[in-house]
Amino acid sequence: MQAVVLNPLLAFLRPLAEANNFPLYPNHIPTSLLQKCLLTAGSAFMSLYNPYRHDMIAVLGETTGSIALQNLWEQMKSDPEGRQVLQERPRIRLSTLDVVGLRGLPDGTFGREYIRFLDDNRVSPDTRMPARFIDDEDLAYVIQRYREVHDLLHTLLGMPTNMLGEVVVKWFEAVQTGLPMCILGALFGPLRLNTRSWHLLSAELIPWAVESGQNATCILNFYYEKRWEQTVESLRREIGILPPPGIQV
């Protein structure tokens, strides 16, 4: 279903791009300002119509996020650990994870709880789409890193992958990153929630997510792959994430 809209769009853009530009990194599709505007309009409509269209959400993030991504890159470059991430460009994929080793870590450690999150929610880091429409190799890595860190944030925030959990994470990410895609998700995601979920979100979860986002250090300044054995609780404290509310989400 996802390919129905995205593949014809890419087929239309690719020959136009190749006629005038060269890819800057694998999967890169150079686009003009007009093409980016068309991509933005189309992906915004589809993202609002169907919040589970991750391909459209990814395109929207790339075509609208240049200022926020530049700001995130500068924050990473000015931090020792963030700078190391930029230099080494690690990837979070099943091929780079020692899944068996992480499952063998004690309960409560970051690595064990991350694998538990993947198992419980039947998700995989390999589903994150590669960057395509960002005309800067460094910024393309920043958004790729953000996408692959997303599930780690679910683990640290203690949020499931249902609509309520996703909206809470989007509020945290909106405050942290300033990405227009996250802001739109935070504002329009609640429209699909039922009355009970809306009450929990507005009364407790949004205030907590916003305060945590404001209090936390830049989430991309952590080399998470070197912190699997750290406890979730201690990593939350180090980042500045407040303890999650004791309610069922």
Side-chain angles (χ1 to χ4, degrees):
M1 178 64 180
Q2 292 182 354
V4 171
V5 174
L6 187 57
N7 286 349
L9 188 59
L10 297 181
F12 166 72
L13 291 173
R14 188 171 283 112
L16 297 177
E18 291 176 350
N20 301 295
N21 301 282
F22 296 95
L24 299 175
Y25 51 86
N27 299 300
H28 176 230
I29 301 176
T31 48
S32 68
L33 178 59
L34 175 59
Q35 291 166 342
K36 281 185 170 60
C37 290
L38 293 173
L39 284 168
T40 299
S43 60
F45 173 79
M46 289 303 301
S47 298
L48 293 175
Y49 177 75
N50 182 359
Y52 291 102
R53 283 297 303 269
H54 300 298
D55 55 340
M56 293 290 98
I57 294 172
V59 172
L60 181 63
E62 293 180 30
T63 58
T64 62
S66 58
I67 295 176
L69 291 172
Q70 182 68 36
N71 181 54
L72 289 169
W73 178 81
E74 290 174 357
Q75 291 185 64
M76 295 177 73
K77 190 177 179 181
S78 65
D79 179 86
E81 194 166 343
R83 189 162 55 250
Q84 185 182 9
V85 171
L86 286 176
Q87 291 170 346
E88 299 182 9
R89 296 191 177 184
R91 296 292 306 276
I92 302 174
R93 304 184 63 81
L94 290 179
S95 60
T96 66
L97 294 173
D98 178 8
V99 176
V100 174
L102 294 179
R103 281 203 178 99
L105 291 175
D107 290 344
T109 56
F110 181 47
R112 180 66 187 94
E113 298 310 317
Y114 170 58
I115 293 298
R116 194 191 311 279
F117 167 83
L118 296 181
D119 292 340
D120 289 349
N121 293 280
R122 299 180 181 179
V123 296
S124 166
D126 290 357
T127 60
R128 300 300 169 190
M129 293 189 64
R132 292 180 174 180
F133 301 109
I134 296 176
D135 299 327
D136 183 294
E137 186 176 4
D138 291 327
L139 300 189
Y141 176 73
V142 172
I143 201 165
Q144 191 71 50
R145 183 64 173 176
Y146 155 75
R147 288 173 183 168
E148 295 178 2
V149 163
H150 177 78
D151 288 338
L152 303 183
L153 295 181
H154 271 276
T155 304
L156 290 167
L157 295 170
M159 292 293 127
T161 57
N162 59 25
M163 182 57 70
L164 180 55
E166 290 290 354
V167 170
V168 174
V169 174
K170 276 292 174 281
W171 273 96
F172 176 84
E173 291 178 338
V175 174
Q176 264 282 305
T177 68
L179 286 166
M181 167 196 66
C182 296
I183 296 171
L184 286 174
L187 293 176
F188 288 97
L191 298 178
R192 293 178 175 268
L193 298 176
N194 59 35
T195 302
R196 176 186 175 276
S197 295
W198 170 250
H199 176 73
L200 287 176
L201 183 70
S202 58
E204 297 193 49
L205 295 173
I206 288 179
W208 166 74
V210 170
E211 186 177 359
S212 288
Q214 292 172 335
N215 188 62
T217 304
C218 177
I219 53 174
L220 299 185
N221 280 346
F222 292 84
Y223 207 137
Y224 295 102
E225 296 88 337
K226 298 180 181 293
R227 294 168 173 271
W228 296 131
E229 297 182 6
Q230 188 172 351
T231 66
V232 171
E233 184 178 355
S234 68
L235 186 52
R236 280 177 183 155
R237 286 198 303 267
E238 185 177 350
I239 296 173
I241 296 174
L242 304 176
I247 56 176
Q248 183 66 37
V249 176

